[in-house]
Amino acid sequence: SDFQRQYMTIQAADRNESSLDRTVAFKNALAPYEKAIVDGRLFTEMASGTLSTDKFRYALKYFYPLVESFPKLMGLCLAKAEATTVGAEASGWLIHNIQIERRHANWFRDWAIGFGVGQQHFNDGIQPPPAMDALNHYLWRKCTYGDLIEAISSLNYAIEGPTGIWTKRVMQNIDKYHGKDGINVDIDTVRWLRAHAHYDDHHPDEALQVTLLHVTSEQDLARAIKAAQDGMAYYAMAADACYELVS
């Protein structure tokens, strides 16, 4: 497919020594920020099967606006890619993944409803508390006003990297919640979770390599790292607030 050919181009670029060095530098700079998310109380207890149903439902309800807006944010990235003379690889990659992300909001909603979040919340619109909504505002700002490097780093790497880690962990014990306080765990309930536990295996690395194709200086690399660090910092803040706001 065209996407596969484009990704082969990305992989070839990654074999370049300078690109490999930048990949290592980027991942090392982000590692502690990622750890703060996936090892925080919310996702640790969610993965162990010990998170209270009230906290779990709160997380599913108030993280939904982020999931729902994801393909729209990627659309803003696509507009940036199409405006550049060297954005063909990024454009192809974004188009391919926007189509996937459009399905995910429905799957996430199925998860939330299966865990007892009322359908009416999705019909009426969900307004997250400020400490959680700050992440949404940051991503909209970066994807609107940042350049392509900052937009993809803050969105596709900073959000989907940690998400791929905690979803794998949560999948291992998700059945422990079945029957608790009316929770139903079935194929529909775990479709989003399963997709991200597998789909995100390679997606953050693809996002990083797309980003690095547009990095031409150490200053560019520093901006990409800072955008992703801030994205992960807001993600950790949202997760911590989600945990603390429910007794």
Side-chain angles (χ1 to χ4, degrees), residues 15-219:
R15 286 194 289 269
N16 178 274
E17 185 175 353
S18 64
S19 182
L20 286 170
D21 290 343
R22 287 171 175 171
T23 298
V24 172
F26 190 99
K27 289 186 174 183
N28 286 345
L30 270 296
Y33 291 82
E34 187 171 70
K35 181 176 174 60
I37 299 166
V38 301
D39 290 347
R41 290 174 295 175
L42 179 69
F43 296 124
T44 296
E45 291 187 16
M46 190 182 288
S48 67
T50 60
L51 188 68
S52 73
T53 54
D54 285 343
K55 287 183 186 292
F56 211 136
R57 287 169 179 156
Y58 195 86
L60 292 172
K61 177 180 177 181
Y62 288 114
F63 272 117
Y64 173 76
L66 171 61
V67 177
E68 191 272 337
S69 67
F70 219 85
K72 301 171 188 175
L73 292 167
M74 290 183 71
L76 294 174
C77 296
L78 177 59
K80 296 179 190 299
E82 291 179 338
T84 70
T85 58
V86 291
E89 291 88 352
S91 295
W93 182 82
L94 286 162
I95 290 169
H96 173 81
N97 285 290
I98 286 170
Q99 294 169 351
I100 294 171
E101 293 294 340
R102 284 174 176 158
R103 296 194 294 268
H104 287 176
N106 291 332
W107 295 355
F108 192 91
R109 188 167 60 243
D110 289 341
W111 184 16
I113 291 171
F115 270 59
V117 178
Q119 174 71 53
Q120 74 276 6
H121 294 297
F122 301 98
N123 297 335
D124 298 340
I126 296 170
Q127 177 60 55
M132 295 184 70
D133 209 19
L135 171 60
N136 300 321
H137 285 286
Y138 173 75
L139 293 174
W140 277 107
R141 187 169 72 252
K142 279 298 174 187
C143 291
T144 301
Y145 299 110
D147 62 18
L148 183 63
I149 291 170
E150 294 171 311
I152 293 181
S153 295
S154 63
L155 182 69
N156 298 104
Y157 189 89
I159 305 304
E160 296 196 274
T163 300
I165 295 172
W166 69 255
T167 51
K168 288 182 184 67
R169 296 177 181 177
V170 172
M171 270 299 299
Q172 295 175 11
N173 288 311
I174 193 67
D175 288 339
K176 288 186 177 182
Y177 294 99
H178 186 69
K180 281 186 181 180
D181 198 16
I183 286 176
N184 180 44
V185 177
D186 59 19
I187 292 174
D188 289 335
T189 305
V190 300
R191 185 178 287 121
W192 183 92
L193 194 61
R194 180 182 292 113
H196 281 74
H198 297 289
Y199 160 77
D200 277 346
D201 272 348
H202 303 296
H203 196 240
D205 284 336
E206 293 172 5
L208 176 54
Q209 300 317 318
V210 168
T211 298
L212 292 180
L213 284 175
H214 298 269
V215 168
T216 60
S217 68
E218 293 309 304
Q219 289 75 21

Side-chain angles (χ1 to χ4, degrees), residues 218-230:
E218 293 309 304
Q219 289 75 21
D220 284 347
L221 181 62
R223 287 189 301 103
I225 289 173
K226 181 65 164 59
Q229 286 175 333
D230 288 349

